[in-house]
Amino acid sequence: MNIETVTSPEDFSSAVKLFKNYEGWAQACPCFEGFEKELDEIDQRYSLPNGRLWLVKSSEGEAVGVVGVQFKGDACCELKRLWIEPQGRGHNTGQALIKTVLDFAKGQKARSILLETVRGQMDHAITLYENLGFHQTEFDEDSHVLKMAYTF
């Protein structure tokens, strides 16, 4: 598995496909509000100076995972859309993608990284985030949305 920065139209198209697969799995998750607009603007939202996007590719060159980061101002950024297809799981792929975001954000002089996830549905990811140093900052009992942060 190789992690590659998304720069080409083909890779942005692969990212859109993975984002849609993630949305299908997550179903009515509140974290997908404004999703169609995000897809329409993916190359602007996830390119410098606004953000960055990475794909995990199999040895055959197939995109099997994705993660993005968007800058939020004041030395803060947001980790977005971590998703790994079933065939890409089990190789510490999620951990490698999160570490890629952490390294990038640190290199960009970010002081913190925020994210939103859903307790219950995404508990495996929550454990992974916590193991990498993210801490819980807020929880909405009604929606089960959990906000987390990493501070450099």
mmCIF file of all heavy atoms in Angstrom, residues 1 18 22 56 64-66 81-97 128:
data_model
loop_
_atom_site.group_PDB
_atom_site.id
_atom_site.type_symbol
_atom_site.label_atom_id
_atom_site.label_comp_id
_atom_site.label_asym_id
_atom_site.label_seq_id
_atom_site.Cartn_x
_atom_site.Cartn_y
_atom_site.Cartn_z
ATOM 1 N N MET A 1 0.844 -1.178 0.000
ATOM 2 C CA MET A 1 0.000 0.000 0.000
ATOM 3 C C MET A 1 0.885 1.235 0.000
ATOM 4 O O MET A 1 1.856 1.306 0.750
ATOM 5 C CB MET A 1 -0.892 0.030 1.231
ATOM 6 C CG MET A 1 -1.770 -1.169 1.408
ATOM 7 S SD MET A 1 -3.421 -0.875 0.808
ATOM 8 C CE MET A 1 -4.109 -2.477 0.983
ATOM 9 N N LEU A 18 -14.512 7.261 -3.328
ATOM 10 C CA LEU A 18 -14.321 6.782 -1.964
ATOM 11 C C LEU A 18 -15.184 7.563 -0.975
ATOM 12 O O LEU A 18 -15.767 6.978 -0.054
ATOM 13 C CB LEU A 18 -12.845 6.852 -1.573
ATOM 14 C CG LEU A 18 -11.932 5.865 -2.304
ATOM 15 C CD1 LEU A 18 -10.475 6.199 -2.056
ATOM 16 C CD2 LEU A 18 -12.235 4.431 -1.901
ATOM 17 N N TYR A 22 -18.036 5.991 1.483
ATOM 18 C CA TYR A 22 -18.079 6.317 2.905
ATOM 19 C C TYR A 22 -19.467 6.818 3.289
ATOM 20 O O TYR A 22 -20.051 6.381 4.282
ATOM 21 C CB TYR A 22 -16.996 7.351 3.202
ATOM 22 C CG TYR A 22 -16.908 7.864 4.620
ATOM 23 C CD1 TYR A 22 -17.225 7.078 5.710
ATOM 24 C CD2 TYR A 22 -16.479 9.160 4.866
ATOM 25 C CE1 TYR A 22 -17.117 7.562 7.014
ATOM 26 C CE2 TYR A 22 -16.363 9.653 6.152
ATOM 27 C CZ TYR A 22 -16.688 8.849 7.228
ATOM 28 O OH TYR A 22 -16.577 9.339 8.497
ATOM 29 N N VAL A 56 -4.750 6.139 -0.427
ATOM 30 C CA VAL A 56 -3.974 4.915 -0.260
ATOM 31 C C VAL A 56 -4.262 4.089 -1.501
ATOM 32 O O VAL A 56 -5.423 3.879 -1.857
ATOM 33 C CB VAL A 56 -4.396 4.121 0.985
ATOM 34 C CG1 VAL A 56 -3.675 2.788 1.037
ATOM 35 C CG2 VAL A 56 -4.118 4.915 2.237
ATOM 36 N N VAL A 64 -7.831 2.636 -2.402
ATOM 37 C CA VAL A 64 -8.577 1.865 -1.407
ATOM 38 C C VAL A 64 -8.783 2.642 -0.101
ATOM 39 O O VAL A 64 -9.434 2.143 0.816
ATOM 40 C CB VAL A 64 -7.901 0.506 -1.111
ATOM 41 C CG1 VAL A 64 -7.893 -0.368 -2.360
ATOM 42 C CG2 VAL A 64 -6.508 0.687 -0.560
ATOM 43 N N GLY A 65 -8.252 3.850 -0.023
ATOM 44 C CA GLY A 65 -8.420 4.650 1.184
ATOM 45 C C GLY A 65 -8.203 6.114 0.889
ATOM 46 O O GLY A 65 -7.561 6.467 -0.101
ATOM 47 N N VAL A 66 -8.746 6.965 1.773
ATOM 48 C CA VAL A 66 -8.656 8.406 1.576
ATOM 49 C C VAL A 66 -8.689 9.105 2.924
ATOM 50 O O VAL A 66 -9.278 8.594 3.887
ATOM 51 C CB VAL A 66 -9.811 8.906 0.664
ATOM 52 C CG1 VAL A 66 -11.163 8.717 1.327
ATOM 53 C CG2 VAL A 66 -9.603 10.333 0.215
ATOM 54 N N ARG A 81 -13.000 12.969 6.404
ATOM 55 C CA ARG A 81 -13.328 11.881 5.480
ATOM 56 C C ARG A 81 -12.355 10.705 5.483
ATOM 57 O O ARG A 81 -12.048 10.147 4.430
ATOM 58 C CB ARG A 81 -13.491 12.408 4.058
ATOM 59 C CG ARG A 81 -14.393 13.608 3.929
ATOM 60 C CD ARG A 81 -15.836 13.244 4.092
ATOM 61 N NE ARG A 81 -16.672 14.437 3.952
ATOM 62 C CZ ARG A 81 -17.683 14.703 4.749
ATOM 63 N NH1 ARG A 81 -17.986 13.895 5.745
ATOM 64 N NH2 ARG A 81 -18.398 15.787 4.565
ATOM 65 N N LEU A 82 -11.865 10.314 6.643
ATOM 66 C CA LEU A 82 -11.039 9.110 6.710
ATOM 67 C C LEU A 82 -11.907 7.906 6.361
ATOM 68 O O LEU A 82 -12.901 7.623 7.030
ATOM 69 C CB LEU A 82 -10.449 8.946 8.115
ATOM 70 C CG LEU A 82 -9.662 7.656 8.356
ATOM 71 C CD1 LEU A 82 -8.403 7.632 7.493
ATOM 72 C CD2 LEU A 82 -9.302 7.523 9.825
ATOM 73 N N TRP A 83 -11.531 7.227 5.288
ATOM 74 C CA TRP A 83 -12.291 6.054 4.844
ATOM 75 C C TRP A 83 -11.340 5.069 4.190
ATOM 76 O O TRP A 83 -10.507 5.450 3.361
ATOM 77 C CB TRP A 83 -13.380 6.439 3.847
ATOM 78 C CG TRP A 83 -14.070 5.249 3.231
ATOM 79 C CD1 TRP A 83 -13.938 4.790 1.954
ATOM 80 C CD2 TRP A 83 -14.974 4.363 3.891
ATOM 81 N NE1 TRP A 83 -14.719 3.679 1.771
ATOM 82 C CE2 TRP A 83 -15.370 3.385 2.961
ATOM 83 C CE3 TRP A 83 -15.489 4.287 5.193
ATOM 84 C CZ2 TRP A 83 -16.255 2.354 3.277
ATOM 85 C CZ3 TRP A 83 -16.366 3.258 5.505
ATOM 86 C CH2 TRP A 83 -16.747 2.311 4.541
ATOM 87 N N ILE A 84 -11.504 3.793 4.547
ATOM 88 C CA ILE A 84 -10.708 2.732 3.947
ATOM 89 C C ILE A 84 -11.666 1.633 3.495
ATOM 90 O O ILE A 84 -12.497 1.153 4.285
ATOM 91 C CB ILE A 84 -9.667 2.177 4.939
ATOM 92 C CG1 ILE A 84 -8.753 3.319 5.383
ATOM 93 C CG2 ILE A 84 -8.857 1.053 4.297
ATOM 94 C CD1 ILE A 84 -8.022 3.066 6.652
ATOM 95 N N GLU A 85 -11.552 1.266 2.248
ATOM 96 C CA GLU A 85 -12.369 0.189 1.701
ATOM 97 C C GLU A 85 -12.014 -1.119 2.418
ATOM 98 O O GLU A 85 -10.888 -1.276 2.913
ATOM 99 C CB GLU A 85 -12.102 0.033 0.199
ATOM 100 C CG GLU A 85 -12.548 1.220 -0.636
ATOM 101 C CD GLU A 85 -14.050 1.302 -0.781
ATOM 102 O OE1 GLU A 85 -14.690 0.287 -1.112
ATOM 103 O OE2 GLU A 85 -14.605 2.397 -0.550
ATOM 104 N N PRO A 86 -12.956 -2.073 2.486
ATOM 105 C CA PRO A 86 -12.680 -3.330 3.192
ATOM 106 C C PRO A 86 -11.376 -4.019 2.759
ATOM 107 O O PRO A 86 -10.635 -4.526 3.595
ATOM 108 C CB PRO A 86 -13.902 -4.193 2.874
ATOM 109 C CG PRO A 86 -15.004 -3.189 2.680
ATOM 110 C CD PRO A 86 -14.336 -1.999 2.013
ATOM 111 N N GLN A 87 -11.059 -3.985 1.466
ATOM 112 C CA GLN A 87 -9.846 -4.661 0.998
ATOM 113 C C GLN A 87 -8.562 -3.943 1.408
ATOM 114 O O GLN A 87 -7.476 -4.502 1.309
ATOM 115 C CB GLN A 87 -9.878 -4.881 -0.519
ATOM 116 C CG GLN A 87 -9.801 -3.610 -1.350
ATOM 117 C CD GLN A 87 -11.149 -3.002 -1.681
ATOM 118 O OE1 GLN A 87 -12.111 -3.150 -0.927
ATOM 119 N NE2 GLN A 87 -11.224 -2.305 -2.802
ATOM 120 N N GLY A 88 -8.679 -2.714 1.916
ATOM 121 C CA GLY A 88 -7.502 -1.970 2.361
ATOM 122 C C GLY A 88 -7.302 -1.999 3.860
ATOM 123 O O GLY A 88 -6.321 -1.468 4.382
ATOM 124 N N ARG A 89 -8.222 -2.629 4.567
ATOM 125 C CA ARG A 89 -8.169 -2.648 6.025
ATOM 126 C C ARG A 89 -7.251 -3.763 6.530
ATOM 127 O O ARG A 89 -6.944 -4.707 5.821
ATOM 128 C CB ARG A 89 -9.577 -2.838 6.595
ATOM 129 C CG ARG A 89 -10.485 -1.691 6.235
ATOM 130 C CD ARG A 89 -11.888 -1.887 6.727
ATOM 131 N NE ARG A 89 -12.746 -0.852 6.140
ATOM 132 C CZ ARG A 89 -14.048 -0.908 6.111
ATOM 133 N NH1 ARG A 89 -14.685 -1.937 6.638
ATOM 134 N NH2 ARG A 89 -14.739 0.065 5.556
ATOM 135 N N GLY A 90 -6.826 -3.607 7.779
ATOM 136 C CA GLY A 90 -6.040 -4.651 8.416
ATOM 137 C C GLY A 90 -4.546 -4.542 8.194
ATOM 138 O O GLY A 90 -3.804 -5.464 8.518
ATOM 139 N N HIS A 91 -4.098 -3.426 7.658
ATOM 140 C CA HIS A 91 -2.664 -3.238 7.402
ATOM 141 C C HIS A 91 -2.153 -1.967 8.078
ATOM 142 O O HIS A 91 -1.198 -1.365 7.605
ATOM 143 C CB HIS A 91 -2.404 -3.148 5.890
ATOM 144 C CG HIS A 91 -2.978 -4.283 5.103
ATOM 145 N ND1 HIS A 91 -2.397 -5.524 5.057
ATOM 146 C CD2 HIS A 91 -4.108 -4.373 4.356
ATOM 147 C CE1 HIS A 91 -3.125 -6.332 4.302
ATOM 148 N NE2 HIS A 91 -4.174 -5.653 3.863
ATOM 149 N N ASN A 92 -2.834 -1.521 9.135
ATOM 150 C CA ASN A 92 -2.518 -0.250 9.809
ATOM 151 C C ASN A 92 -2.676 0.932 8.871
ATOM 152 O O ASN A 92 -2.012 1.962 9.024
ATOM 153 C CB ASN A 92 -1.118 -0.274 10.427
ATOM 154 C CG ASN A 92 -1.022 -1.279 11.555
ATOM 155 O OD1 ASN A 92 -1.928 -1.390 12.374
ATOM 156 N ND2 ASN A 92 0.062 -2.027 11.594
ATOM 157 N N THR A 93 -3.563 0.787 7.897
ATOM 158 C CA THR A 93 -3.779 1.821 6.890
ATOM 159 C C THR A 93 -4.345 3.092 7.501
ATOM 160 O O THR A 93 -3.900 4.194 7.190
ATOM 161 C CB THR A 93 -4.713 1.298 5.781
ATOM 162 O OG1 THR A 93 -4.213 0.042 5.328
ATOM 163 C CG2 THR A 93 -4.779 2.252 4.619
ATOM 164 N N GLY A 94 -5.337 2.958 8.373
ATOM 165 C CA GLY A 94 -5.925 4.129 9.018
ATOM 166 C C GLY A 94 -4.898 4.884 9.836
ATOM 167 O O GLY A 94 -4.812 6.109 9.781
ATOM 168 N N GLN A 95 -4.103 4.152 10.593
ATOM 169 C CA GLN A 95 -3.056 4.769 11.399
ATOM 170 C C GLN A 95 -2.066 5.511 10.509
ATOM 171 O O GLN A 95 -1.667 6.639 10.809
ATOM 172 C CB GLN A 95 -2.342 3.695 12.210
ATOM 173 C CG GLN A 95 -1.230 4.226 13.074
ATOM 174 C CD GLN A 95 -0.602 3.133 13.933
ATOM 175 O OE1 GLN A 95 -1.192 2.094 14.184
ATOM 176 N NE2 GLN A 95 0.604 3.383 14.380
ATOM 177 N N ALA A 96 -1.674 4.897 9.400
ATOM 178 C CA ALA A 96 -0.721 5.541 8.484
ATOM 179 C C ALA A 96 -1.309 6.812 7.886
ATOM 180 O O ALA A 96 -0.609 7.826 7.753
ATOM 181 C CB ALA A 96 -0.316 4.563 7.378
ATOM 182 N N LEU A 97 -2.594 6.797 7.535
ATOM 183 C CA LEU A 97 -3.226 7.998 6.976
ATOM 184 C C LEU A 97 -3.303 9.113 8.016
ATOM 185 O O LEU A 97 -3.017 10.274 7.713
ATOM 186 C CB LEU A 97 -4.625 7.673 6.449
ATOM 187 C CG LEU A 97 -4.684 7.000 5.086
ATOM 188 C CD1 LEU A 97 -6.092 6.514 4.784
ATOM 189 C CD2 LEU A 97 -4.187 7.932 3.997
ATOM 190 N N LEU A 128 -8.825 4.447 17.485
ATOM 191 C CA LEU A 128 -7.614 4.760 16.723
ATOM 192 C C LEU A 128 -7.181 6.202 16.960
ATOM 193 O O LEU A 128 -6.001 6.477 17.229
ATOM 194 C CB LEU A 128 -7.854 4.500 15.234
ATOM 195 C CG LEU A 128 -6.696 4.741 14.282
ATOM 196 C CD1 LEU A 128 -5.494 3.876 14.637
ATOM 197 C CD2 LEU A 128 -7.143 4.451 12.853
#
